[in-house]
């Protein structure tokens, strides 16, 4: 982004990049509107860079830095997190600026060696430790497992700027706006939820610990390493992180179903009608085979109610539904109100196995679990409607 200079506080600049080329983040998650890798340059007696960008954008990062300073004049590069979307440009940077001291946690030091063979000029910092870089002071907070074990957040004490890397990050490139008061916030909040559900969610308990550690810290700018920089409504995103990491869902239902020949689909329509009759109009229906998995996962994280319906397949759970349940377990989503329905042709399987999976998730199961043979009867459709109604009532009264 030649010619664009974004100052987030006096002497602190965004020098990151937009990745508009990647289709799948981590090779899994679709990013139809790209993603940004935010890197921050702090101009002081010892100019300091906080986080870098993914390797293919190394050249662009160097150009962005050069608009302020020769990279050979950089004093420190702070490595908050070693995932290569933030550390990938380090080798290129060190080739032109070998004088740099890298600042990171002890765990990140090991990873620097393992990822890049970097072993020299590393200053390990502990939790709460500070480095004076001139007029400004950097303080480091260990926030392990947000997103990897080595992760830390950097705080510029005098400016009250917190750089927490992945935490509060979003999918979506920065389209001309860099701050929350310059962008369509609701779009980025949706993408923050998807980023959370896809990338961070397994570590919800470490997120809770990080929030508790940083509570009370004055923050005037929250500058994550993906997506917008928050300065207008920081409280909103902190509250969302509190909520998501505590598995608190909004009042609504994600109804996720699979169907091969339309019979489970017919059942789903009856459940959906019941949800609405039960007083819940915030209902989102997803075909588990067709809806992008990344978005379905985020919707399960968003809503208090999750209803699952699928046919039996090879005596087990319909494969796309099985994948969803396994991923929900992997990501450790808790605290949902759940209804289950499933079909079978000659021997049951799906409904019972879905029930076992949901019991493993420790969700509140709304009885009865409905299993029907081949094609639902009018009576079974009424039972499906009643199930939807019961789930909705629990969700709305909760
Ligand atoms: Fe944006 Fe965990 O890397």
């Amino acid at each position: 982004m030649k010619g664009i200079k974004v100052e987030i506080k006096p002497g602190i600049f965004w020098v990151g990049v937009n990745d508009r080329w990647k289709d799948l983040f981590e090779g899994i998650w679709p990013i139809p509107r790209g993603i940004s890798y935010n890197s921050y340059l702090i101009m002081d007696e010892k100019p300091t860079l906080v986080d870098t960008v993914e390797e293919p954008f190394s050249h662009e990062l160097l150009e962005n830095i050069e608009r302020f300073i020769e990279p050979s004049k950089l004093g420190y590069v702070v490595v908050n997190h070693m995932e290569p979307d933030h550390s990938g440009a380090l080798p290129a940077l060190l080739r032109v600026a070998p004088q740099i001291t890298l600042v990171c946690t002890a765990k990140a030091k090991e990873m620097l060696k393992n990822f890049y063979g970097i072993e020299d000029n590393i200053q390990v910092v502990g939790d709460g430790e500070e480095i004076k870089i001139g007029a400004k002071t950097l303080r480091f907070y260990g926030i392990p497992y947000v997103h990897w074990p080595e992760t830390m957040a950097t705080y510029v004490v005098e400016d009250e700027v917190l750089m927490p890397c992945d935490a509060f990050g979003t999918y979506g490139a920065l389209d001309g706006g860099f701050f929350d008061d310059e962008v369509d916030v609701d779009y980025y909040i949706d993408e923050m939820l998807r980023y959370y559900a896809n990338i961070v969610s397994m570590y919800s308990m470490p997120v809770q610990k990080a929030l508790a550690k940083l509570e009370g810290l004055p923050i005037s700018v929250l500058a994550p390493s993906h997506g917008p920089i928050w300065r207008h409504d920081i409280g909103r995103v902190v509250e969302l992180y509190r909520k998501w990491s505590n598995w608190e869902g909004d009042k609504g239902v994600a109804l996720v179903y699979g169907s091969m020949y339309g019979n489970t689909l017919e059942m789903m329509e009856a459940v959906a009608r019941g949800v609405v009759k039960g007083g819940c109009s915030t209902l989102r229906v997803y075909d588990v085979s067709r809806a992008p998995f990344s978005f379905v996962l985020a919707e399960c994280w968003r809503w208090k109610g999750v209803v699952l319906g699928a046919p039996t397949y090879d005596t087990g759970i319909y494969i796309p539904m099985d994948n969803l349940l396994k991923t929900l377990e992997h990501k450790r989503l808790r605290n949902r109100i759940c209804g289950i329905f499933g079909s079978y042709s000659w021997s049951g399987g799906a409904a019972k196995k879905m029930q076992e999976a949901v019991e493993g998730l420790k969700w509140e199961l709304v009885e009865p679990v409905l299993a029907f043979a081949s094609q639902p009867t009018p009576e079974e459709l009424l039972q499906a409607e009643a199930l939807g109604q019961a789930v909705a009532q629990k969700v709305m009264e909760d």
Side-chain angles (χ1 to χ4, degrees), residues 24-313:
L24 296 173
F25 190 70
E26 292 186 339
I28 307 172
W29 315 107
I31 44 172
R33 291 179 61 181
I35 192 164
S36 72
Y37 311 126
N38 301 339
S39 172
Y40 300 101
L41 178 63
I42 308 171
M43 296 299 287
D44 209 327
E45 279 170 39
K46 286 205 162 200
T48 297
L49 191 72
V50 179
D51 291 323
T52 70
V53 301
E54 195 165 342
E55 188 274 336
F57 300 90
S58 305
H59 185 68
E60 192 175 336
L61 174 68
L62 287 172
E63 281 186 346
N64 291 348
I65 295 168
E66 280 162 6
R67 284 191 276 131
F68 299 91
I69 185 177
E70 278 301 313
S72 59
K73 300 279 190 304
L74 280 171
Y76 296 110
V77 172
V78 175
V79 183
N80 277 328
H81 176 29
M82 276 298 297
E83 193 163 5
D85 52 331
H86 307 292
S87 67
L90 283 172
L93 186 54
L94 292 175
R95 274 197 291 277
V96 298
Q99 82 292 341
I100 286 170
T101 298
L102 299 178
V103 178
C104 64
T105 61
K107 190 81 191 159
K109 184 178 177 184
E110 285 172 34
M111 291 185 175
L112 280 166
K113 180 174 177 231
N114 296 340
F115 268 105
Y116 307 113
I118 298 171
E119 296 185 75
D120 299 328
N121 291 347
I122 298 173
Q123 183 171 340
V124 168
V125 287
D127 188 37
E129 202 167 310
E130 295 185 347
I131 293 180
K132 235 9 207 166
I133 59 168
K136 296 184 194 293
T137 312
L138 307 183
R139 186 186 301 152
F140 307 100
Y141 292 98
I143 51 169
Y145 292 100
V146 187
H147 157 221
W148 281 4
E150 86 300 358
T151 313
M152 66 178 190
T154 298
Y155 182 64
V156 187
V157 177
E158 293 76 9
D159 300 288
E160 300 179 349
V161 174
L162 184 71
M163 298 162 179
C165 205
D166 276 344
F168 308 103
T170 77
Y171 294 132
L174 293 164
D175 299 335
F178 289 81
F179 298 94
D180 58 334
D181 48 280
E182 296 181 336
V183 302
D184 174 0
V185 171
D186 291 337
Y187 161 70
Y188 284 104
I189 292 279
D190 280 350
E191 289 296 70
M192 183 184 287
L193 171 60
R194 199 160 65 88
Y195 189 88
Y196 186 87
N198 296 175
I199 310 293
V200 184
S201 60
M202 181 183 164
Y203 309 103
S204 286
M205 291 186 77
V207 169
Q208 291 174 26
K209 282 188 189 151
L211 291 175
K213 179 184 273 191
L214 299 172
E215 195 177 358
L217 189 71
I219 300 171
S220 61
V221 174
L222 182 61
S225 292
H226 300 290
I229 298 157
W230 302 85
R231 65 181 178 188
H232 174 68
D233 200 354
I234 295 170
R236 181 177 176 189
V237 291
V238 171
E239 168 57 17
L240 286 171
Y241 251 57
R242 187 204 62 75
K243 196 164 116 177
W244 297 335
S245 63
N246 280 280
W247 309 286
E248 288 176 20
D250 290 341
K251 288 193 175 190
V253 172
L255 170 43
V256 188
Y257 76 100
S259 187
M260 289 186 281
Y261 298 103
N263 296 311
T264 314
L265 169 69
E266 201 179 339
M267 199 80 162
M268 180 280 291
E269 300 283 10
V271 174
R273 184 65 191 143
V275 170
V276 173
K277 280 169 90 172
C280 176
S281 56
T282 42
L283 167 66
R284 304 282 189 274
V285 175
Y286 296 96
D287 179 335
V288 72
S289 301
R290 292 177 176 81
F293 191 73
S294 156
F295 290 82
V296 173
L297 198 55
E299 290 302 294
C300 292
W301 224 276
R302 185 193 303 272
W303 303 110
K304 180 80 188 158
V306 177
V307 181
L308 305 170
T312 299
Y313 193 88

